[in-house]
């Protein structure tokens, strides 16, 4: 039998796909008997409950006045990584989102020398396509990616974007390990009671659209609102908005000005929203960048068809005309038409729903993905290093 590993995971604790995926991986590793240390600024969003195999290490920064204007977090994080690696004899340090986590891991490894754990960097999207290629961060992020013992990405699209964006030769191995859904939690259980709690006057035949995100500009929240208003003009419907971020207030204002606020529920950040997704009819994701689209995958897992932009890693999840519809970026009329196509024919919707769930069960289950991460960890500890 393989010996249990000592694994540390670093991620953002905030409401976002990278932290959620990181936490699910850590919890699944602990369920397999490995000891898992989370090293982060705060308790990650999905890390709750007690598990004797999981330890949380909070990163704290000095409040020394001279440091107030400097971001010392990567140094504090690297120091915490060194401390945990030394005392806990870590085998693996798995960091999620390159900026600044891969760089902190590299610094920790330099200090630890031969005692250092193997470093796995999982890139998630904007760390490559937006933040990482910002000239303020590019050279050190590229270097930190190249110095990782292994690099993984959730989609073939993001692997191409990483090779191109950082001018990394394609001979540098980057493993594609797709994100996954907890198919027991995200299941096709359609109970509209949770929607009626939001909209007491909801009619049975009224479609409900849903969007879940961090409400950043890349999510194109104005397009979510525009698709909804376009559909609403032809057929009364409702919109559920889960999450928070800079684009939320403008969207709420826009809907109030149109007198549609009673037809839309803004719920803010929610830890559990699977019953809302499962009870809705169409998931909207008109993003301008998306390396994967975890929330869309969770919708598909619930059997909810997705209408999304035809870009990034989304086509690797959503099959146009089978599990949802894809349209060019910003093509609100096409997206609204696709929503209507789905909600106007119950039998057709059932077909999409059935295929969506089947595709997730076939390609995006959690256990095979965890198998691949675990095999990668073991390969790094026994086989030759790439870098
Ligand atoms: O944009 C977000 O939703 C947050 C961001 C993150 O870092 O948490 O998400 C990225 O990682 C997710 C998990 O791998 C992916 O599902 C998202 O597609 C990706 N976001 C973008 O590429 C814009």
């Amino acid at each position: 039998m393989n010996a249990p590993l000592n694994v540390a995971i670093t991620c953002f604790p905030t409401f976002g796909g990278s932290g959620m995926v990181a936490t699910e991986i850590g919890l699944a590793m602990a369920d397999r008997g490995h000891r898992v240390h989370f090293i982060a600024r705060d308790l990650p969003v999905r890390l709750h409950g007690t598990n004797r195999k999981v330890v949380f290490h909070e990163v704290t920064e000095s409040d020394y006045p001279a440091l107030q204007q400097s971001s010392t977090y990567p140094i504090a994080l690297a120091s915490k990584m060194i401390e945990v690696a030394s005392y806990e004899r870590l085998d693996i340090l798995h960091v999620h989102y390159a900026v600044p986590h891969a760089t902190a891991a590299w610094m920790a490894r330099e200090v630890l020398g031969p005692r250092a754990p193997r470093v796995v960097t999982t890139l998630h999207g904007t760390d490559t396509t937006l933040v990482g290629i910002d000239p303020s961060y590019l050279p050190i992020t590229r270097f930190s990616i190249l110095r990782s013992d292994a690099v993984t990405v959730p989609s073939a699209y993001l692997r191409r974007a990483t090779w191109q964006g950082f001018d990394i030769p394609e001979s540098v191995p980057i493993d594609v390990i797709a994100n996954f859904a907890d198919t027991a939690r995200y299941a096709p259980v359609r109970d509209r009671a949770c929607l009626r709690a939001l909209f007491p006057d909801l009619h049975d035949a009224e479609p409900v659209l849903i969007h879940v995100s961090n409400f950043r500009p890349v999510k194109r929240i104005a397009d979510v609102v525009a698709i909804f208003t376009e559909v609403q003009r032809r057929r009364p419907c409702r919109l559920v908005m889960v999450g928070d971020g800079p684009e939320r207030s403008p969207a709420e204002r826009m809907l109030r000005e149109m007198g549609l606020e009673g037809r839309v529920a803004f719920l803010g950040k929610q830890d559990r929203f699977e019953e809302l997704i499962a009870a809705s009819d169409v998931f909207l994701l008109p993003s301008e960048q998306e390396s994967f689209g975890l929330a869309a995958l969770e919708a598909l897992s619930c059997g909810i068809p997705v209408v999304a932009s035809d870009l990034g890693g989304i086509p690797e999840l959503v099959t146009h005309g089978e599990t949802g519809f894809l349209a060019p970026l910003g093509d609100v009329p096409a997206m609204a038409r696709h929503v209507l196509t789905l909600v106007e024919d119950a039998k057709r919707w059932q077909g999409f729903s059935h295929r969506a769930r089947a595709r997730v069960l076939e390609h995006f289950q959690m256990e095979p993905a965890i198998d691949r991460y675990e095999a990668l960890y073991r390969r790094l500890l026994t086989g030759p290093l790439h870098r």
Side-chain angles (χ1 to χ4, degrees):
M1 203 187 92
N2 281 322
L5 301 176
N6 220 352
V7 178
I9 292 194
T10 285
C11 63
F12 288 121
T14 43
F15 187 85
S18 60
M20 291 176 185
V21 170
T23 308
E24 304 284 3
I25 293 171
L27 292 175
M29 290 294 171
D31 282 347
R32 291 180 175 205
H34 303 298
R35 190 159 171 78
V36 179
H37 302 265
F38 282 89
I39 306 176
R41 189 194 286 278
D42 218 334
L43 197 67
V45 168
R46 287 189 181 175
L47 189 62
H48 35 57
T50 49
N51 184 328
R52 283 172 198 278
K53 295 259 178 233
V54 175
V55 184
F56 172 59
H57 304 266
E58 185 175 330
V59 180
T60 47
E61 287 179 79
S62 161
D63 58 3
Y64 191 66
L67 298 177
Q68 302 276 296
Q69 295 298 313
S70 319
S71 25
T72 57
Y73 181 70
I75 300 174
L77 174 59
S79 298
K80 183 60 83 178
M81 287 169 168
I82 293 163
E83 182 189 315
V84 176
S86 309
Y87 293 136
E88 305 286 349
R89 295 174 178 278
L90 291 179
D91 298 303
I92 297 289
L93 174 55
H94 188 170
V95 299
H96 291 259
Y97 205 92
V99 186
H101 301 151
T103 304
W106 168 72
M107 288 195 280
R109 213 176 56 172
E110 284 296 291
V111 174
L112 287 160
R115 295 173 299 143
R118 300 289 191 251
V119 173
V120 178
T121 295
T122 293
L123 304 170
H124 279 276
T126 45
D127 48 353
T128 293
T129 56
L130 202 71
V131 186
I133 56 166
D134 183 308
S136 315
Y137 304 115
L138 194 145
I140 190 72
T141 305
R142 178 180 189 276
F143 176 85
S144 311
I145 290 171
L146 287 170
R147 284 304 171 95
S148 304
D149 296 309
V151 178
T152 81
V153 287
S155 60
Y157 154 78
L158 191 59
R159 175 163 63 181
R160 286 192 302 278
T162 304
W163 280 329
Q164 284 163 16
F166 290 108
D167 193 19
I168 291 175
E170 293 191 9
S171 54
V172 171
I174 299 179
D175 285 348
V176 178
I177 305 181
N179 289 338
F180 48 84
D182 176 345
T183 50
R185 177 172 171 181
Y186 292 92
V189 181
R190 284 181 71 68
D191 178 356
R192 284 179 46 115
C194 58
L195 297 176
R196 274 193 292 274
L198 299 176
F199 307 110
D201 55 341
L202 179 71
H203 298 297
D204 283 348
E206 242 178 317
V208 177
L209 318 184
I210 186 164
H211 172 77
V212 179
S213 80
N214 54 12
F215 287 62
R216 303 254 158 227
V218 289
K219 302 295 174 181
R220 292 182 69 109
I221 299 301
D223 283 7
V224 175
V225 170
I227 295 163
F228 160 72
T229 50
E230 183 92 7
V231 174
Q232 156 75 20
R233 253 199 294 276
R234 313 235 182 111
R235 181 181 172 140
C237 62
R238 309 284 174 141
L239 174 64
V240 178
M241 301 284 261
V242 181
D244 214 330
E247 300 299 309
R248 174 178 168 179
S249 292
E252 287 197 82
R253 197 166 48 243
M254 213 185 309
L255 286 154
R256 270 197 301 272
E257 281 165 11
M258 288 187 285
L260 289 172
E261 67 272 25
R263 308 197 69 78
V264 183
F266 283 87
L267 303 183
K269 292 177 186 169
Q270 302 275 320
D271 185 25
R272 298 191 74 99
F273 45 81
E274 59 270 27
E275 59 168 7
L276 287 168
I277 293 191
S280 302
D281 299 290
V282 179
F283 186 92
L284 300 178
L285 193 66
S287 309
E288 83 185 39
Q289 281 191 24
E290 210 64 70
S291 75
F292 187 84
L294 183 64
L297 180 70
E298 292 171 340
L300 295 173
S301 181
C302 295
I304 304 307
V306 172
V307 171
S309 307
D310 187 8
L311 49 75
I314 297 176
E316 294 174 46
L317 315 183
V318 181
T319 315
H320 180 73
E322 285 194 19
T323 62
F325 287 103
L326 302 174
L329 173 63
D331 194 342
V332 168
M335 294 193 201
R337 264 197 320 276
H338 291 320
V339 171
L340 287 162
T341 301
L342 285 165
V343 299
E344 278 178 344
D345 181 336
K347 211 160 155 219
R348 183 187 297 137
W349 185 92
Q350 280 296 345
F352 275 77
S353 173
H354 181 78
R355 288 188 294 272
R357 173 74 179 172
R359 182 154 163 75
V360 176
L361 291 177
E362 196 177 348
H363 295 286
F364 299 101
Q365 295 245 38
M366 182 191 269
E367 289 304 316
I370 302 301
D371 287 346
R372 292 197 55 203
Y373 283 114
E374 197 176 6
L376 172 63
Y377 293 171
R378 294 207 184 273
R379 192 174 83 218
L380 291 179
L381 291 166
T382 52
L385 293 180
H386 298 305
R387 291 163 246 273

